């Protein structure tokens, strides 16, 4: 199977003459509230048409009018909002990967440092407070009764390194408060600072002789919260890395070097130095470094990493090869034609990145909630603190409630619920040869109610092929094919080409042609030399109209001709001058009124149905999706093809410009419609449909107009795409449910609701653990999509 001239055409972001489109990496975000704030601030700027921030992959995608606002102004607005930025380009993809790996190492180091100090701190602070009267052995110098001041100083000493390890929470959190845009870091900073500052106050009281304050130290609360959140952030970073494994795998497919032929010498050079026009050598087992056309050698190439097709594809001179595919068993040389960002692989990577950076409409729910969530939580924490202080007159108890509410209410899980699922879903699609251009397309696909297939090139192969050869008793089918193929050598008609290809496939040696004349709209007339060089056969080949003009009786094959026509096949009739054997003379073509020709047989030609069309359509029907076929062919041919593949709704004799109108009619009836096509004339319908799906072997225009591109020329991928969408949306809904449920239940419990009725009180440390686990659980649930199979 030939890969599409595929994604050569996938400049997926369309630039208008007065618009600029950019993608930036945003640094400093800690939760969905951050992304909501950036979107809000940037969208305010005059000249910004659209702005979207994806918290999960730290990306800002922005479109703006360059005549109204400069890119520098946008960057300044990001900085003013309290966040950093970095430009992204193809050359920095590996650097970006290294940066993320470095961030994970730093997080691990910070967690290890905080854990080293937090564990002995917990031992000292809580060792004497175990249930059932148990206690751990603690040196007298660190005992809270015997040496309360040293007990307090030891805790302070152990807490400071932990606070230092988590300094970023305080820097970002308090800065966000000053900018009147509190985020998750703000909640953590406020909660742990309250615990730390109150503990310092308690040390002051101990110094003044009030040793009972040794029981009111909360250093371990601040340390445990920071340690657990650092653990959660580390696990979150590791898990988020797994959600983008599809991109990493694709980037990892590229070889680092290439061998080129220069002055008859083999030279190994870095991949980036390969130029268009270089002659590239690939040995057996080697990876194809760039895209090009084979000029020497025969081999089989494994293109599974690009197409999902497991069987190697035979290649010969003139065939295309694609970067990252594997040369299995032969030396080949090819001419480099697409390098760098222009290769199929690079375009696929760009497509998947764009899809992962886009937001699905369902994300707006979480974004709206996250934007107002942190201020509301802060208000709840203050209200709970004041209420419990008034009710119990116990400042330390009220403080514990205040800290618990702030810490448990992190909106991270909400911000991760949708983008992580989309990242995994689009990546899984790429692994299956399904390129989904946006999160919106991935979401909408699960709603599809009707799929309209274009016939030619989509349900069918798109190329006429000989299906039947019918000869009268005086001739055998091989002789008939040999003669008619010899006659068609001078024809440029697609039907004639199909006949010649069949003769070549059967290894038939064609006869020399003496004279030829095309008869427009009817067929051909020619003379073919017989086995004797002195004689020729005069033949006509064409449609029914031509046979009628030459008074050819079709009685001998009329039944077969009608049967084939009813099957949607095109019969090419073949008649021979019954006075064969005359001497060759200058061409004097026989008058149409002649009765010298008699029928010899016919060859039926049809655009054959793809082998997988029936199965794909059957699967769609089993999914309760209505299937229709649209074509410009006549009703008889259309009905015959539809019957073969099990389609009941047929739209025939539809002109190219009317296809989009047919889609509109279905949409007007409330249907969510998908159109599947491959041709230039399908582009308007692909764009009009709710989900346009382009077949990979199709035209560039069709694939640019589509929402989903199927790299494989395989219709069963349509059902895979819809099932993947359904699985992804189901996963997103699960994530959102648990994220909302967690916060809905967690905040009241942290505020002491259960305690009022005699239930347990949620400690700040447990609240920190629950907050971290909520984010990790959402990420792990999203990763379940990696097990998706159609």
């Amino acid at each position: 199977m030939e890969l599409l001239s595929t994604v050569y055409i996938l400049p997926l972001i369309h630039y208008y003459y007065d618009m600029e489109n950019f993608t930036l990496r945003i640094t400093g975000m800690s939760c969905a509230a951050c992304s909501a704030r950036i979107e809000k601030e940037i969208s305010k700027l005059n000249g910004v048409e659209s702005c979207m921030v994806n918290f999960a992959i730290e990306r800002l995608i922005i479109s703006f009018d360059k005549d109204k606002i400069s890119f520098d102004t946008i960057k300044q607005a990001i900085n003013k909002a309290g966040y950093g930025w970095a430009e992204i380009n193809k050359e920095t993809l590996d650097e970006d990967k290294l940066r993320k790996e470095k961030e994970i190492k730093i997080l691990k180091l910070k967690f290890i440092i905080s854990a080293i100090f937090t564990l002995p701190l917990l031992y000292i602070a809580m060792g004497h407070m175990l249930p059932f009267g148990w206690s751990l052995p603690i040196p007298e110098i660190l005992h809270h009764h015997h040496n309360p001041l040293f007990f307090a100083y030891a805790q302070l000493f152990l807490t400071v390194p932990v606070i230092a390890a988590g300094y970023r929470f305080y820097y970002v959190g308090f800065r966000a408060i000053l900018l009147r845009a509190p985020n998750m870091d703000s909640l953590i900073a406020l909660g742990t600072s309250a615990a730390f500052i109150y503990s310092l106050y308690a040390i002051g009281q101990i110094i003044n002789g009030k040793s009972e304050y040794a029981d009111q130290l909360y250093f371990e609360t601040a340390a445990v919260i920071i340690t657990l959140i650092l653990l959660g952030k580390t696990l979150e970073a590791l898990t988020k890395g797994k959600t983008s494994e599809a991109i990493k795998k694709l980037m990892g497919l590229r070889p680092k070097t290439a061998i080129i032929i220069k002055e008859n010498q083999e030279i190994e050079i870095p991949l980036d130095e390969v130029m268009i026009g270089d002659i590239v050598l690939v040995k057996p087992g080697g990876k194809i470094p760039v895209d090009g056309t084979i000029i020497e050698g025969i081999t089989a190439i494994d293109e599974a990493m690009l197409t999902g097709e497991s069987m190697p594809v035979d290649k010969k001179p003139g065939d295309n090869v694609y970067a990252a595919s594997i040369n299995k068993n032969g030396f080949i040389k090819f001419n480099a034609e697409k390098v760098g960002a222009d290769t199929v692989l690079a375009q696929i990577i760009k497509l998947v990145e764009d899809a992962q950076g886009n937001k699905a409409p369902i994300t707006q729910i979480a974004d709206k909630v996250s934007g107002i969530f942190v201020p509301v939580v802060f208000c709840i924490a203050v209200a709970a603190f004041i209420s419990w202080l008034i009710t119990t007159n116990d400042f330390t108890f009220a403080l514990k409630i205040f800290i618990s509410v702030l810490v448990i209410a992190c909106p991270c899980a909400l911000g991760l619920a949708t983008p992580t699922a989309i990242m995994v879903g689009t990546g899984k699609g790429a692994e299956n040869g399904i390129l989904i251009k946006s999160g919106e397309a991935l979401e909408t696909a699960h709603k599809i109610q009707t799929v309209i297939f274009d016939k030619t090139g989509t349900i069918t192969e798109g190329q006429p092929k000989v299906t039947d050869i019918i000869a009268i008793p005086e001739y055998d089918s091989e002789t008939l094919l040999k003669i008619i193929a010899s006659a068609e050598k001078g024809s440029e008609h697609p039907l004639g080409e199909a006949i010649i290809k069949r003769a070549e496939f059967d290894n038939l040696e064609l006869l020399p042609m003496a004279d030829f004349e095309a008869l427009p709209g009817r067929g051909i007339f020619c003379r073919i030399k017989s086995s004797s060089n002195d004689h020729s056969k005069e033949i006509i080949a064409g449609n029914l109209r031509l046979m009628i003009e030459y008074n050819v009786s079709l009685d001998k094959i009329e039944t077969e001709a009608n049967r084939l026509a009813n099957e949607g096949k095109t019969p090419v009739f073949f008649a021979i001058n019954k006075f064969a054997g005359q001497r060759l003379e200058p061409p004097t073509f026989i008058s149409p009124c002649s009765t010298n020709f008699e029928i010899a047989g016919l060859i039926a030609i049809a655009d054959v149905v793809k082998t997988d069309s029936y199965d794909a359509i059957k699967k769609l029907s089993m999914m309760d999706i209505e299937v229709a076929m649209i074509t410009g062919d006549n009703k008889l041919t259309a009905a015959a093809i539809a019957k073969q593949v099990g389609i009941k709704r047929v739209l025939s004799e539809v002109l190219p410009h009317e296809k989009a109108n047919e889609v509109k009619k279905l949409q007007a009836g409330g249907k969510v419609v998908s159109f599947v096509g491959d041709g230039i004339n399908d582009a308007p319908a692909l764009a009009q449909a709710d989900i346009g799906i382009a077949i990979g072997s199709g035209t560039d225009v069709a694939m640019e107009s589509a929402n989903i591109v199927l790299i494989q020329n395989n219709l069963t991928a349509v059902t895979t795409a819809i099932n993947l969408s359904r699985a992804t949306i189901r996963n997103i809904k699960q994530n959102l449910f648990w994220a909302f449920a967690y916060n809905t239940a967690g905040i009241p419990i942290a505020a002491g609701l259960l305690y009022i009725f005699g239930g347990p009180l949620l400690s700040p440390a447990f609240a920190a653990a629950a907050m971290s686990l909520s984010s990790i659980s959402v990420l792990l649930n999203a990763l379940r999509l990696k097990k998706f199979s159609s």
Side-chain angles (χ1 to χ4, degrees):
M1 181 191 74
E2 278 300 319
L3 237 188
L4 31 154
S5 39
T6 0
V7 226
Y8 284 147
I9 47 79
L10 290 176
L12 299 171
I13 300 179
H14 299 286
Y15 289 82
Y16 298 94
Y17 77 97
D18 59 343
M19 298 301 296
E20 292 286 349
N21 301 267
F22 280 98
T23 300
L24 291 176
R25 178 170 64 84
I26 302 297
T27 59
M29 293 192 297
S30 59
C31 65
C34 298
S35 60
R37 170 168 170 73
I38 297 169
E39 284 186 357
K40 182 178 179 181
E41 292 300 316
I42 301 299
S43 297
K44 286 180 184 176
L45 301 175
N46 183 36
V48 173
E49 180 176 302
S50 65
C51 169
M52 184 182 66
V53 179
N54 189 317
F55 166 59
I57 59 172
E58 302 174 335
R59 294 289 188 269
L60 162 67
I61 301 173
I62 185 169
S63 176
F64 61 92
D65 189 334
K66 61 186 179 183
D67 294 330
K68 294 181 180 179
I69 188 173
S70 69
F71 196 29
D72 288 338
T73 303
I74 293 169
K75 293 174 181 176
Q76 291 169 11
I78 296 170
N79 291 332
K80 187 177 178 181
Y83 304 92
W85 55 268
E87 292 190 28
I88 299 172
N89 54 58
K90 287 294 176 187
E91 286 69 40
T92 62
L93 283 172
D94 290 333
E95 295 174 16
D96 190 52
K97 180 182 176 183
L98 292 173
R99 176 188 60 81
K100 289 178 179 177
E101 290 174 351
K102 183 179 178 181
E103 286 178 359
I104 291 172
K105 287 180 180 178
I106 291 172
L107 279 171
K108 284 181 180 179
L109 180 62
K110 286 182 175 181
F111 166 68
I112 291 170
I113 290 171
S114 62
I116 287 172
F117 286 94
T118 298
L119 289 173
L121 173 61
L122 273 174
Y123 187 95
I124 294 170
M126 309 295 291
H128 63 285
M129 298 172 63
L130 292 177
F132 310 113
W134 296 349
S135 63
L136 296 173
I138 295 175
E140 188 172 323
I141 194 173
L142 295 175
H143 200 281
H144 68 296
H145 284 163
H146 300 294
N147 288 290
L149 187 58
F150 201 84
F151 172 74
Y153 280 147
Q155 290 191 49
L156 175 62
F157 172 79
L158 292 169
T159 303
V160 169
V162 180
I163 297 294
Y167 80 93
R168 184 185 172 281
F169 298 126
Y170 300 96
Y171 173 76
V172 175
F174 285 121
R175 185 182 181 189
I177 291 173
L178 293 174
L179 292 170
R180 293 180 295 176
N183 56 19
M184 183 209 80
D185 289 338
S186 303
L187 299 179
I188 296 168
L190 282 171
T192 56
S193 294
F196 186 80
I197 292 169
Y198 181 77
S199 298
L200 291 178
Y201 166 78
I203 288 178
Q205 294 296 93
I206 294 171
I207 292 173
N208 291 329
K210 297 180 179 180
S211 60
E212 65 272 17
Y213 273 85
D215 291 327
Q216 297 184 30
L217 296 171
Y218 286 96
F219 287 119
E220 85 284 351
T221 296
V224 168
I225 288 172
I226 294 296
T227 302
L228 287 174
I229 290 173
L230 283 172
L231 173 61
K233 287 289 182 185
T234 303
L235 294 174
E236 184 180 306
L238 289 168
T239 312
K240 280 167 70 176
K242 290 183 180 180
T243 63
S244 58
E245 276 183 358
I247 289 288
K248 292 179 182 177
K249 284 181 181 178
L250 288 172
M251 289 194 295
L253 293 174
R254 299 175 298 186
K256 301 297 182 184
T257 61
I259 299 174
I260 65 169
I261 306 297
K262 188 167 287 188
E263 297 178 355
N264 294 322
Q265 297 291 320
E266 295 181 13
I267 304 173
E268 187 169 3
I269 61 173
L271 181 63
D272 294 340
E273 295 180 14
V274 178
M275 307 291 288
I276 293 174
D278 282 344
I279 304 302
V280 182
L281 171 68
V282 183
K283 299 175 181 179
K287 286 185 178 179
I288 308 296
V290 296
D291 295 356
T293 301
I294 295 176
I295 57 175
E296 183 180 324
I298 296 175
T299 188
I301 292 183
D302 180 359
E303 295 178 344
M305 55 284 293
L306 296 179
T307 67
E309 183 63 51
S310 59
M311 293 298 293
V313 182
D314 292 331
K315 299 283 184 175
K316 60 184 183 303
D319 289 339
N320 293 326
V321 292
Y322 303 93
S325 53
I326 299 173
N327 182 28
K328 299 295 287 186
N329 55 18
F331 284 86
I332 57 169
K333 293 179 183 178
F334 69 90
N335 187 45
E337 295 174 346
K338 299 286 183 179
V339 300
D342 294 328
T343 64
V344 168
L345 177 66
Q347 294 289 357
I348 290 174
I349 291 172
K350 179 69 168 69
L351 178 58
V352 178
E353 282 182 328
D354 288 348
Q356 293 185 345
N358 274 286
K359 288 186 177 181
I362 199 170
T363 309
Q364 296 173 4
I365 301 171
D367 286 351
K368 288 178 181 178
V369 172
S370 298
I372 60 172
F373 192 76
V374 175
V376 169
V377 167
F378 182 75
C379 292
I380 292 173
V382 171
F385 171 79
I386 294 172
S387 299
W388 282 109
L389 183 62
I390 294 172
T391 303
T392 64
N393 200 30
D394 186 339
F395 180 84
T396 57
F397 181 84
L399 180 65
K400 188 182 293 186
I401 295 289
F402 176 75
I403 295 169
S404 296
V405 172
L406 289 179
V407 172
I408 202 169
C410 166
C412 282
L414 285 174
L416 293 170
T418 300
T420 50
I422 288 175
M423 288 172 70
V424 179
T426 52
K428 195 65 182 177
E431 288 178 19
N432 285 276
I434 301 166
L435 304 183
I436 302 166
K437 290 187 180 181
S438 68
E440 183 175 359
L442 184 62
E443 178 179 343
T444 306
H446 88 283
K447 302 176 184 176
I448 291 173
Q449 297 168 295
T450 300
V451 175
I452 303 175
F453 287 97
D454 178 55
K455 180 185 79 71
T456 306
T458 303
I459 290 177
T460 64
E461 295 286 355
Q463 296 179 342
K465 291 184 178 179
V466 172
T467 60
D468 301 87
I469 301 174
I470 308 296
I472 62 172
E474 289 84 349
Y475 295 91
D476 60 81
S477 59
E478 183 177 303
T479 302
L480 181 67
L481 177 61
K482 183 176 183 178
I483 295 173
I484 195 169
S486 301
E488 292 285 0
K489 277 194 301 184
S491 172
E492 295 180 353
H493 195 281
L495 298 183
E497 292 177 3
I499 293 171
I500 294 170
K501 284 182 180 178
R502 174 59 183 269
E504 291 173 349
F505 181 81
D506 290 349
N507 294 317
L508 299 181
E509 184 178 349
L510 301 187
L511 302 170
M513 180 172 59
D515 301 302
F516 176 89
E517 180 177 322
L519 305 174
R522 292 163 292 163
I524 61 167
F525 173 97
C526 73
R527 283 193 179 102
I528 294 176
K529 293 182 180 179
S530 64
S531 54
S532 167
N533 290 331
D534 295 331
H535 298 85
S536 69
K537 293 180 183 294
E538 289 183 334
I539 69 168
I540 54 172
N543 56 23
L544 180 61
R545 179 182 169 189
L546 182 65
M547 298 299 109
I548 293 173
E549 286 182 1
Y550 280 83
N551 297 314
V552 178
S553 173
L554 302 180
D555 292 343
K556 296 179 180 179
I557 59 169
E558 187 173 10
T559 302
E560 288 294 323
N562 290 336
R563 177 183 64 81
L564 294 169
N566 288 329
E567 292 176 1
K569 300 172 182 178
T570 301
V572 176
F573 298 96
F574 174 54
I576 299 178
N577 187 345
K578 57 189 175 184
F579 297 113
Q582 63 188 39
R583 305 267 320 166
L584 277 173
E585 297 173 357
T588 52
F589 295 117
I590 308 242
S591 164
C593 62
S594 168
T595 58
N596 294 333
F597 286 88
E598 63 179 13
I599 195 70
L602 66 82
I603 291 180
I605 299 173
D607 182 5
V608 297
V609 172
K610 292 178 182 175
T611 55
D612 64 311
S613 293
Y614 177 80
D615 288 339
I617 290 159
K618 183 179 180 180
K619 286 181 181 179
L620 287 171
S621 299
M622 292 173 65
M623 294 163 63
D624 293 326
I625 294 175
E626 180 187 20
V627 181
M629 185 183 78
I630 193 167
T631 179
D633 282 347
N634 61 67
K635 291 183 179 180
L636 190 64
T637 301
I641 296 295
K643 185 178 180 181
Q644 287 184 54
V645 295
I647 293 179
K648 296 179 180 178
R649 184 166 188 170
V650 182
L651 306 171
S652 58
E653 299 179 4
V654 178
L655 296 176
H657 65 276
E658 294 175 340
K659 291 182 180 180
N661 290 332
E662 294 295 334
V663 174
K664 283 182 182 178
K665 288 178 185 177
L666 287 170
Q667 289 172 324
K671 298 280 189 180
V672 177
V673 180
S674 174
F675 187 93
V676 185
D678 72 327
I680 291 176
N681 58 21
D682 294 331
L686 287 166
Q688 175 62 42
D690 297 284
I691 292 293
I693 301 177
I695 301 296
S697 59
T699 65
D700 296 354
V701 175
M703 289 192 291
E704 282 202 37
S705 304
N707 308 102
I708 297 173
V709 176
L710 309 180
I711 294 182
Q712 296 184 45
N713 192 9
N714 188 333
L715 290 191
T716 55
V718 174
T719 62
T720 303
I722 295 173
N723 282 327
L724 179 61
S725 172
R726 290 180 176 181
T728 303
I729 295 305
R730 186 164 54 248
N731 191 279
I732 288 172
K733 288 178 178 178
Q734 291 168 354
N735 285 348
L736 288 173
F737 171 79
W738 288 113
F740 279 119
Y742 162 80
N743 283 292
T744 302
I747 293 174
I749 293 172
L753 181 63
L754 295 181
Y755 187 76
I756 294 173
F757 300 100
L761 185 68
L762 191 66
S763 72
F766 186 83
M771 183 272 285
S772 295
L773 287 172
S774 68
S775 297
I776 295 168
S777 65
V778 163
L779 287 164
L780 291 175
N781 189 50
L783 286 175
R784 289 193 309 111
L785 279 172
K786 293 174 73 68
K787 297 180 181 179
F788 169 84
S789 60
S790 59

